[in-house]
Amino acid sequence: MFGFITHTWNAIRGLCWHDCIYCYMDPANNPNNDGSELHLEEKELSLGHGSGRFIFVGSSTDMFADVVPSKWIVRVLDHCNKFSNYYLFQTKNPERFLEFIDHPVILSKSVLSTTLETNRWYPKIMNNAPQPYDRANAMAAVAAHGVHTMVTVEPAMAFDHDELVAMIRACKPMQVNIGCNTIRSIQLPEPTLAEVQALITDLNTFTRVHIKPNASVLK
């Protein structure tokens, strides 16, 4: 998903409650996903993480969705804190980050990221996910705690330029990742190439922009 990530780890697994139709982990889009119920995979909590790695935790489901028990999240964070690594946590529900903001792995070993695929609300596409405006407001509150933040614009969907730039700026991201829709059987309201390039130009004035391989045409 990210070229700069060295490993992924998923102790919380199962169907993502947000149910975005374009998700690469949706059973309808991924034959390797058996559609199991959300659960904590206990055996994962006995595994070592090594050291010097950049690990994306929760790449297969949104572990910060409202339906995920807090005790599961604490156990995942506690396990991560046993090792000398750097961790990426990404969610469409960043308000939940604030519940764990004082955990040592969050404060000193992590990048906290949210997805802002657009500033607009597409309810039939995003389903149970919080609205983008709410995500940006929550990330601004997260950034105020001094933790490292990141934003992912993927899959980029039709947006309003000034509004999206302002929302991303409020998140104070150290990096913005931009990617395209990879599930071509799913039709999304996509921006034009010129619109995305203009977005990249403005983002480059205040943060680092990472173009994902699936959007290499934008480079």
Side-chain angles (χ1 to χ4, degrees):
M1 189 173 185
F2 297 111
F4 49 86
I5 290 294
T6 63
H7 297 77
T8 60
W9 181 59
N10 293 283
I12 298 174
R13 300 181 180 182
L15 290 175
C16 179
W17 186 73
H18 291 150
D19 195 29
C20 300
I21 66 169
Y22 61 75
C23 182
Y24 76 104
M25 285 303 299
D26 189 301
N29 305 325
N30 190 332
N32 295 318
N33 188 340
D34 62 6
S36 61
E37 292 298 315
L38 199 65
H39 63 283
L40 180 65
E41 195 74 36
E42 290 284 347
K43 66 180 181 180
E44 292 293 326
L45 297 173
S46 65
L47 300 179
H49 283 183
S51 63
R53 298 173 173 179
F54 193 178
I55 302 175
F56 184 3
V57 180
S59 63
S60 67
T61 195
D62 195 326
M63 62 176 276
F64 290 93
D66 281 337
V67 297
V68 178
S70 296
K71 62 183 180 182
W72 291 3
I73 298 174
V74 170
R75 290 187 65 191
V76 168
L77 296 178
D78 286 348
H79 189 71
C80 291
N81 200 40
K82 298 175 183 177
F83 308 96
S84 297
N85 293 304
Y86 206 42
Y87 296 93
L88 170 64
F89 297 96
Q90 180 163 292
T91 181
K92 289 180 183 166
N93 189 30
E95 186 173 0
R96 196 95 193 271
F97 281 149
L98 296 169
E99 182 181 342
F100 310 95
I101 201 69
D102 292 325
H103 192 284
V105 79
I106 295 293
L107 288 174
S108 63
K109 296 183 178 181
S110 299
V111 175
L112 304 184
S113 178
T114 196
T115 302
L116 292 175
E117 57 274 75
T118 174
N119 66 292
R120 301 177 185 175
W121 175 236
Y122 293 107
K124 293 183 179 180
I125 296 172
M126 301 172 182
N127 285 325
N128 299 323
Q131 296 194 26
Y133 183 79
D134 293 331
R135 299 179 215 168
N137 281 347
M139 284 299 287
V142 168
H145 286 267
V147 300
H148 292 147
T149 60
M150 191 167 72
V151 170
T152 295
V153 181
E154 183 186 22
M157 290 193 282
F159 58 85
D160 303 293
H161 180 92
D162 291 347
E163 287 84 348
L164 183 57
V165 170
M167 286 168 59
I168 294 174
R169 186 190 297 271
C171 299
K172 295 182 170 58
M174 58 186 291
Q175 179 169 301
V176 176
N177 310 297
I178 296 183
C180 297
N181 177 27
T182 55
I183 311 296
R184 301 314 298 177
S185 59
I186 303 290
Q187 290 191 337
L188 299 177
E190 296 185 273
T192 66
L193 177 60
E195 288 170 336
V196 178
Q197 289 175 332
L199 175 65
I200 292 170
T201 296
D202 276 3
L203 294 178
N204 271 321
T205 65
F206 62 87
T207 190
R208 179 172 65 246
V209 177
H210 171 73
I211 308 299
K212 298 187 65 177
N214 66 13
S216 58
V217 67
L218 303 175
K219 292 183 179 180

